[in-house]
Amino acid sequence: MYRTIYLSAASHMFSTEDLNAILSVSRRNNQSDGISGLLLYHEGSILQVLEGDQSRVDACFERIKMDGRHRGLLRLFHGKVDRQAFPNWSMGFAWPNDIKDGADASLKGLEQVVKELPSLSKIDRRSATLIRSFFVSHNDLAAMLVH
């Protein structure tokens, strides 16, 4: 099992429609490529975790690097891991706004995603630290993360 984690900045603030488009394509491609992961987005900051076969994750990462919707891409981690952290998510998504009843069901509010996150203590230490750091770097999100 191979994992890549990267951080980037959105080239513009994403709307719900922008996020729907990103998630729709990501989920379709990831499902066909056997990639799972997590996308965190908050106030223009993006953290994404991709996991699966190394060649497929690397190919996905190369496509992402060419995507003009973000800039300043920084690969924080890449390497072999013992197991998937997100085996059931073709692309889990976290957005800090609670999605109200009647809203697009493909977008989940951050609180809901945090509840669905596997215990970070079960994820390798480096990956858990990077995910926690994303939350901590946004003071308004830090209190939401269960330690």
Side-chain angles (χ1 to χ4, degrees), residues 64-103:
I64 289 168
K65 285 180 8 182
M66 304 306 290
D67 190 325
R69 293 176 288 194
H70 62 118
R71 62 185 186 278
L73 190 137
L74 176 62
R75 196 175 203 174
L76 303 172
F77 170 78
H78 61 101
K80 293 187 184 293
V81 293
D82 292 335
R83 61 186 166 134
Q84 286 178 286
F86 309 102
N88 300 319
W89 292 357
S90 61
M91 186 48 58
F93 175 73
W95 196 23
N97 301 323
D98 289 327
I99 304 301
K100 305 299 182 199
D101 289 339

Side-chain angles (χ1 to χ4, degrees), residues 2-136:
Y2 183 80
R3 182 177 299 139
T4 287
I5 302 175
Y6 75 86
L7 185 66
S8 68
S11 58
H12 65 280
M13 296 300 268
F14 291 158
S15 67
T16 299
E17 292 78 22
D18 293 331
L19 291 167
N20 271 326
I22 291 167
L23 289 168
S24 177
V25 171
S26 295
R27 287 175 174 153
R28 184 182 65 239
N29 290 342
N30 290 353
Q31 188 170 12
S32 69
D33 289 341
I35 295 173
S36 62
L38 173 69
L39 174 65
L40 300 175
Y41 173 80
H42 185 61
E43 297 179 354
S45 296
I46 300 164
L47 182 125
Q48 187 166 19
V49 179
L50 300 167
E51 27 182 50
D53 174 76
Q54 181 175 352
S55 62
R56 291 180 179 209
V57 169
D58 284 343
C60 180
F61 183 71
E62 290 302 314
R63 286 190 305 270
I64 289 168
K65 285 180 8 182
M66 304 306 290
D67 190 325
R69 293 176 288 194
H70 62 118
R71 62 185 186 278
L73 190 137
L74 176 62
R75 196 175 203 174
L76 303 172
F77 170 78
H78 61 101
K80 293 187 184 293
V81 293
D82 292 335
R83 61 186 166 134
Q84 286 178 286
F86 309 102
N88 300 319
W89 292 357
S90 61
M91 186 48 58
F93 175 73
W95 196 23
N97 301 323
D98 289 327
I99 304 301
K100 305 299 182 199
D101 289 339
D104 189 321
S106 70
L107 298 179
K108 297 179 182 180
L110 185 59
E111 287 183 33
Q112 182 62 33
V113 171
V114 169
K115 287 177 190 174
E116 293 179 20
L117 275 172
S119 169
L120 291 181
S121 64
K122 293 180 182 175
I123 301 174
D124 65 278
R125 185 174 173 193
R126 186 177 311 162
S127 298
T129 299
L130 292 171
I131 293 168
R132 280 193 184 100
S133 295
F134 182 86
F135 282 84
V136 172

